[in-house]
Amino acid sequence: MNGRERIEAAFSPEGAEHLPAVICYENVFLRDHWSAFTACPWWYLHMPDARLQLAWTRDLVAALGQDWFQMFPWTSLEEEESGAVEVSDQGVFRIDAGTGRREEIRPPRPGGWTAGSLESVPPEDLPASFDAIEAAIPDPAAADVRALRERQSVADALIREFGGALWPYRHVSGPLWKTYGLWGFQGMMIMIASRPDLVHFACEKFLALAMRNVREAADHGAAGVWIEDCFTDMISPEAFANLNAPYVRRLTDAIRASGLRSIYYFCGNPRGKWDCILSLGMDALALEEGKKGFANDIDDIVDRVRGRCVVVGNLDAVGVLQNGDENCLREAIRRQVAAARRNGSRFILSLGSPPTAWTPVERVRLYCDLAHELGAA
């Protein structure tokens, strides 16, 4: 079986005899390990050019040996800038064709995003009215025809080359988690506690954007959608049920209606939210490994799911993959495989979080190879 067949078997009622093996968050892996797996210039990642995207993707596929690949937007779905990337002795710049504005694109910084990413918004500066939120969130109906055409060209090329052997998927953000980009962490928590009406309004807007991304994923030939949901472990079960769950459920329904599979990644501690999480309608559930003072034990997860959906594994990316020896890695994979069989083999072997910047590419490949070996019946 090839990688796509293994993952599709995991989603079947019978489960996968030969378990698939993947890593999560390829974008983080690319940021931290670019020069270790490819000789392509880092700025290829920003170019909506099929030839360039194929070049580094071939290197990634060969280096890791995993069973899926992430389909990136290649140009911003939110900004829809009608521009180009210019490479010169002065650096790499994104050029807005309409205004001529040049914005420098900096190389990826292993272990962290580039400076200037959003961390918090002072309470007095929060978009705190319906009009302000309306102005801050892009209209999902807006579309740059040229950018759409470029993205389709890249997607078609990737599907032609890899789509038969590997399972293609796209990322979207949960609508409530997306409000972090609007309000920052402090503002997000303030609004959840004090202005649920504005939170609902923003979530509707972000859900519309997510729906557009899902439609584009289907048009591009993706087989699934990974729904990222962060910081929602830090709110009350009541807030989760009222302000988050309805939007995630509508998103999983839309993904299924588009003919795709949904994977819901809940980041953090699910304590107090299990019943609500299991009602979200996802085809697969992924959780991070236990850390930060809580435990996400794979046997407990399988006991709760009871075969109702696929479980995505949560092998410890730090304690085991980064710091453990090969025997430790083998035993951790064996434990994940045993849990998989108890879930009717409806299981995808994975890490609970991305490989760290200090984990060599060869170590990630060893994990994939061992997972395929030990996950074979």
Side-chain angles (χ1 to χ4, degrees):
M1 298 180 77
N2 64 31
R4 181 162 188 159
E5 291 167 340
R6 282 190 284 262
I7 290 181
E8 289 178 349
F11 281 107
S12 72
E14 299 77 23
E17 182 179 6
H18 299 277
L19 296 173
V22 302
I23 67 168
C24 57
Y25 289 96
E26 285 180 25
N27 58 320
V28 177
F29 181 86
L30 298 178
R31 179 198 68 189
D32 292 343
H33 298 86
W34 184 271
S35 61
F37 77 85
T38 184
C40 294
W42 61 268
W43 44 264
Y44 274 24
L45 187 59
H46 298 274
M47 305 287 279
D49 179 301
R51 179 179 58 86
L52 304 184
Q53 296 293 333
L54 284 169
W56 70 259
T57 304
R58 289 188 189 107
D59 292 340
L60 180 69
V61 168
L64 295 187
Q66 62 170 342
D67 290 325
W68 67 16
F69 72 98
Q70 183 178 347
M71 300 177 71
F72 294 92
W74 305 294
T75 56
S76 172
L77 283 171
E78 277 70 28
E79 295 178 4
E80 297 290 2
E81 287 183 323
S82 179
V85 175
E86 175 189 280
V87 182
S88 68
D89 293 340
Q90 288 73 43
V92 180
F93 298 87
R94 181 176 287 112
I95 313 299
D96 188 301
T99 65
R101 184 173 64 90
R102 301 167 83 245
E103 176 190 3
E104 186 173 7
I105 308 170
R106 297 190 179 276
R109 185 175 65 183
W113 303 112
T114 55
S117 58
L118 177 66
E119 295 178 0
S120 188
V121 178
E124 62 272 16
D125 294 335
L126 293 174
S129 70
F130 294 106
D131 287 344
I133 293 169
E134 182 90 48
I137 299 176
D139 179 359
D144 179 335
V145 174
R146 187 190 64 84
L148 290 172
R149 186 168 58 247
E150 288 174 342
R151 288 201 293 272
Q152 187 69 60
S153 174
V154 175
D156 288 347
L158 289 171
I159 292 296
R160 279 195 302 271
E161 181 151 347
F162 305 109
L166 301 175
W167 197 76
Y169 74 103
R170 275 279 299 273
H171 273 208
V172 301
S173 297
L176 183 58
W177 157 229
K178 192 74 173 173
T179 65
Y180 170 73
L182 180 67
W183 290 318
F185 175 74
Q186 180 184 19
M188 178 182 173
M189 296 301 159
I190 289 171
M191 289 297 186
I192 289 170
S194 64
R195 291 298 306 271
D197 57 332
L198 292 181
V199 175
H200 278 298
F201 184 74
C203 285
E204 287 285 355
K205 297 291 183 182
F206 284 125
L207 178 63
L209 284 172
M211 298 283 201
R212 183 184 69 174
N213 293 0
V214 168
R215 290 192 298 271
E216 184 174 83
D219 290 344
H220 284 177
V225 175
W226 175 283
I227 305 169
E228 178 183 66
D229 204 9
C230 301
F231 290 167
T232 60
D233 67 321
M234 305 178 72
I235 63 177
S236 71
E238 294 75 20
F240 184 89
N242 293 328
L243 297 174
N244 193 42
Y247 300 100
V248 174
R249 181 61 200 237
R250 287 163 63 188
L251 186 54
T252 62
D253 288 346
I255 292 167
R256 184 171 292 110
S258 296
L260 310 182
R261 302 286 191 174
S262 61
I263 302 173
Y264 176 65
Y265 178 73
F266 179 90
C267 185
N269 186 354
R271 183 168 58 93
K273 302 181 177 74
W274 268 110
D275 289 343
C276 197
I277 289 171
L278 291 172
S279 74
L280 295 177
M282 61 273 168
D283 296 299
L285 175 64
L287 292 101
E288 65 178 318
E289 65 268 47
K291 53 190 176 186
K292 308 169 193 169
F294 65 86
N296 275 343
D297 184 82
I298 193 62
D299 288 312
D300 177 59
I301 294 169
V302 164
D303 286 342
R304 291 176 183 275
V305 171
R306 300 194 309 276
R308 287 176 285 179
C309 68
V310 173
V311 172
V312 179
N314 67 342
L315 190 138
D316 187 341
V318 178
V320 173
L321 187 65
Q322 175 185 290
N323 297 333
D325 60 19
E326 185 171 330
N327 286 333
C328 175
L329 179 58
R330 281 182 175 273
E331 288 307 309
I333 294 172
R334 285 194 180 101
R335 187 162 183 262
Q336 296 268 325
V337 170
R341 300 311 182 194
R342 291 200 302 110
N343 201 56
S345 298
R346 304 191 71 213
F347 199 97
I348 298 171
L349 292 164
S350 181
L351 308 175
S353 53
T356 69
W358 301 274
T359 303
V361 172
E362 294 75 17
R363 178 76 173 177
V364 182
R365 177 58 186 254
L366 175 63
Y367 148 74
C368 288
D369 289 345
L370 289 176
H372 283 135
E373 172 193 329
L374 299 172

